Amino acid sequence: MPAIAAATSEPTPTPQPAQVPQPYSLATLPSISDLVEAIRPSVVSISVESVERGFFFSYLNQGGATGTVVRPDGYIVTNLHVIEGARDIKVHVPNADSYDATVVGVDRLTDLAVLKIEAEDLPAVTFADSRRMRVGDWVVAVGNALALPGGPSVTVGIVSAKGRSIQTQHQNELFDLIQTDAAINEGNSGGPLVNMDGEVVGINTVILQEAQAIGFAVNAIQAQSIIEKLIQDGRVVRPLIGFNSADVTPAIASDLGLPVDEGIIVTNLFPDGPAATAGIEVGDVVTKLDDIPTPTNARFLLLLWSYQPGDQVQIEYYSGDESRIATVTLEERLVR
């Protein structure tokens, strides 16, 4: 009988658990919850009531926005466009009462307004030196977006740009703004833009409806100066030079045959104003103010506003192809 080979068997492998791919190692972003808890008590809700006059009848219009506590004794900053035309303004303090507010003063050129309520020991914010902010720094926007119940909303983003100038829907031009992609929505106006140290770097002011994730804030340095002047005097005194102007661009310079491709061109002159008295004319191109270059209208106005009525300034400009210098005595500009 032929030999039969002994059967051999392989050991049965032990089942192994499925291998799950490990996620990429990502740096963990820090929580901003402590920052939010610290800043929220200083962010108030503002409700306004105004009378809108229609073609056949008038009706009440109610709106909501945000305010930022700037002094413990009841001083609050918000935006002018929030309270303009309101017949009744109320401030709702987190975890506290609601107060009737009075308007201390407004500044149209920065769209800021200061309110006063009869309250004490409010938690006031701390302002940062916004000049130290860099594009790419993290910021947090806090405000009553869309007037949703339950307290202010919080969004986070970065400083997208500095020194922005924009035209608002009310045809006001705002200068030296902080641009951010931290979501700012209707109702956020007047709320703080905060750095990672919990300091206010700007007051949220305006959004561009045609853009996505672009909002703007009045920088803290400018806002602090305006707030102090409004609390002290109820208004902001600025110098008047006596002309309107527009930016010179290379295209404009080429079209008009200008001798320089940056500066500001005088577009309108106030009769008997300081500039007209000094000999400046429509069409002249201003390039320097007290030997400091003024390549844009925004730069010129920010520099001009550092002076006081009665100060004398030297203006370097071109009249045609001729370079000239004029000494201008500034007057007081009244902005209502």
Side-chain angles (χ1 to χ4, degrees):
M1 176 179 292
I4 300 175
T8 60
S9 61
E10 297 290 335
T12 303
T14 302
Q16 298 294 319
Q19 297 296 313
V20 179
Q22 295 298 311
Y24 291 108
S25 177
L26 297 177
T28 302
L29 294 176
S31 171
I32 61 170
S33 57
D34 290 341
L35 182 156
V36 172
E37 288 299 316
I39 196 69
R40 285 183 68 173
S42 302
V43 180
V44 302
S45 173
I46 296 176
S47 60
V48 298
E49 185 178 277
S50 59
V51 176
E52 298 288 340
R53 302 196 180 279
F55 188 78
F56 294 106
F57 57 88
S58 300
Y59 59 94
L60 286 179
N61 184 32
Q62 294 180 322
T66 307
T68 303
V69 178
V70 294
R71 277 188 19 183
D73 53 346
Y75 285 95
I76 293 161
V77 67
T78 187
N79 289 144
L80 169 59
H81 73 259
V82 167
I83 55 93
E84 190 167 29
R87 72 173 191 177
D88 184 52
I89 306 171
K90 292 191 181 298
V91 171
H92 312 283
V93 178
N95 303 319
D97 295 327
S98 296
Y99 299 85
D100 292 324
T102 57
V103 179
V104 175
V106 303
D107 181 54
R108 189 168 302 279
L109 294 183
T110 56
D111 193 33
L112 293 179
V114 172
L115 308 178
K116 178 70 168 67
I117 62 175
E118 295 304 317
E120 298 289 340
D121 300 324
L122 296 179
V125 297
T126 300
F127 284 92
D129 185 345
S130 53
R131 294 169 297 190
R132 297 182 179 179
M133 291 291 294
R134 298 186 301 165
V135 173
D137 281 350
W138 290 101
V139 286
V140 177
V142 186
N144 297 295
L146 307 178
L148 295 174
S153 298
V154 179
T155 56
V156 66
I158 61 169
V159 174
S160 303
K162 296 173 62 176
R164 291 297 201 208
S165 299
I166 62 168
Q167 194 87 17
T168 72
Q169 62 181 354
H170 303 293
Q171 301 306 307
N172 295 331
E173 190 164 8
L174 302 177
F175 299 98
D176 202 21
L177 302 175
I178 295 173
Q179 178 184 324
T180 179
D181 68 348
I184 297 175
N185 296 285
E186 184 178 349
N188 273 113
S189 295
L193 187 68
V194 185
N195 64 18
M196 292 297 102
D197 293 323
E199 301 167 326
V200 174
V201 297
I203 300 297
N204 299 323
T205 299
V206 67
I207 59 175
L208 295 182
Q209 296 289 355
E210 65 272 22
Q212 294 183 358
I214 295 180
F216 299 90
V218 179
N219 73 75
I221 293 294
Q222 189 175 41
Q224 273 187 289
S225 174
I226 298 302
I227 292 166
E228 291 170 2
K229 291 174 181 176
L230 292 179
I231 292 176
Q232 180 176 336
D233 302 320
R235 65 190 185 105
V236 178
V237 177
R238 286 192 176 89
L240 174 74
I241 198 165
F243 63 72
N244 295 328
S245 55
D247 290 350
V248 172
T249 64
I252 291 175
S254 177
D255 289 343
L256 299 181
L258 301 177
V260 291
D261 59 7
E262 68 175 18
I264 59 173
I265 186 169
V266 177
T267 57
N268 181 51
L269 203 63
F270 301 176
D272 302 320
T277 302
I280 295 174
E281 299 177 345
V282 171
D284 290 346
V285 177
V286 176
T287 58
K288 289 184 180 180
L289 173 58
D290 274 349
D291 206 36
I292 300 175
T294 55
T296 64
N297 209 32
R299 177 61 180 153
F300 177 82
L301 289 175
L302 289 172
L303 185 58
L304 177 67
W305 290 341
S306 67
Y307 293 88
Q308 296 296 318
D311 289 347
Q312 286 192 333
V313 295
Q314 278 198 334
I315 301 294
E316 294 186 37
Y317 66 102
Y318 282 89
S319 183
D321 291 331
E322 183 182 353
S323 177
R324 297 181 179 179
I325 296 178
T327 299
V328 180
T329 302
L330 303 175
E331 298 179 1
E332 181 177 341
R333 173 177 180 167
L334 298 177
V335 180
R336 301 300 183 188

